[in-house]
Amino acid sequence: MGNGQWFPAEWPERIRALAEGTLTPVAPRRAATVMLVKDSEAGPVVHMLRRRASMAFAGGAYAYPGGGVDPRDDEHQIRWAGPTRAWWAQRLGVDETAAQAVVCAAVRETYEEAGVLLAGPGPDTVVGDTTGDDWEADRAALVARDLSFAEFLDRRGLVLRSDLLGAWARWITPEFESRRYDTWFFVAVLPEGQRTRNASTEADRTVWIRPADAAAGYDKGELLMMPPTIATLRGIVEYDRAAEALAAAPARDLTPVLAKARLEEGEVVLSWPGHDEFTKHIPTGGASA
């Protein structure tokens, strides 16, 4: 493998099974992930975590804080600031209930995995340092799902700042994968006074890295990434300041990207529409190229 594209050994067999009609795709779970960015002397840097090698899904790959939607975020009216739920529903291509849940997942997962909270006491404020023992107890309760995000916000008297998020892309895990996610990628600027930490049990290290440097590491095969991760990294390379990336988000195309697999001249061709660099040609014997 010349670059750092994550490619599981079981994919060729599953792709062939899908093409032959013997594999039934599982329904994807809704999920959200957040590219946290901040300015540095060398330009904008993005926060990334490396998933533990023991993880069943994308072990060893670099990714952003993120995870699945908590169904309880569909059910409770969250204290909310920024664009309305109706605006987010139109932007994300879902109904208002699902839009709230996806935005909540983005904010909650960023807090759970990076210790950064995009919320404040009012619609124009944001919390400061969240590293105290009492904050950590609430964060642990969220991770364990002993506490819903709505309950957390109410307990703290906080308002979710949806205006601090920008929807950047939407990727759906290929149909032949055993674990599938319909994931919205967001961008957010690290709030002043807050700092990231490795709060995730799924990661063995975290870094702040220039997008161009991360992309170069991927191209050299030094940093392992899934296609949506490197694709979104390449998308933010051009910006000179973190705020510029956030400001560019509303114009981004959120058409879902779903990998396609087809049989062609004795091999399986795996492609991601609009992203030719990820195309794979897999001989029917099982080796990948």
Side-chain angles (χ1 to χ4, degrees), residues 203-288:
D204 59 14
R205 75 177 298 229
T206 61
V207 296
W208 281 101
I209 187 170
R210 293 176 62 242
D213 292 340
Y218 168 89
D219 291 336
K220 295 174 184 177
E222 298 171 352
L223 300 182
L224 186 67
M225 298 182 202
M226 292 176 283
T229 306
I230 181 59
T232 49
L233 268 177
R234 296 201 197 284
I236 60 175
V237 164
E238 64 184 274
Y239 299 101
D240 296 324
R241 296 190 60 80
E244 292 177 3
L246 179 60
R252 296 281 304 180
D253 181 9
L254 292 189
T255 301
V257 179
L258 173 63
K260 302 292 185 182
R262 67 183 187 276
L263 292 171
E264 184 177 286
E265 298 182 355
E267 64 181 7
V268 174
V269 180
L270 175 61
S271 61
W272 280 259
H275 300 272
D276 292 342
E277 72 166 297
F278 305 129
T279 299
K280 288 278 188 181
H281 293 264
I282 308 158
T284 53
S288 62

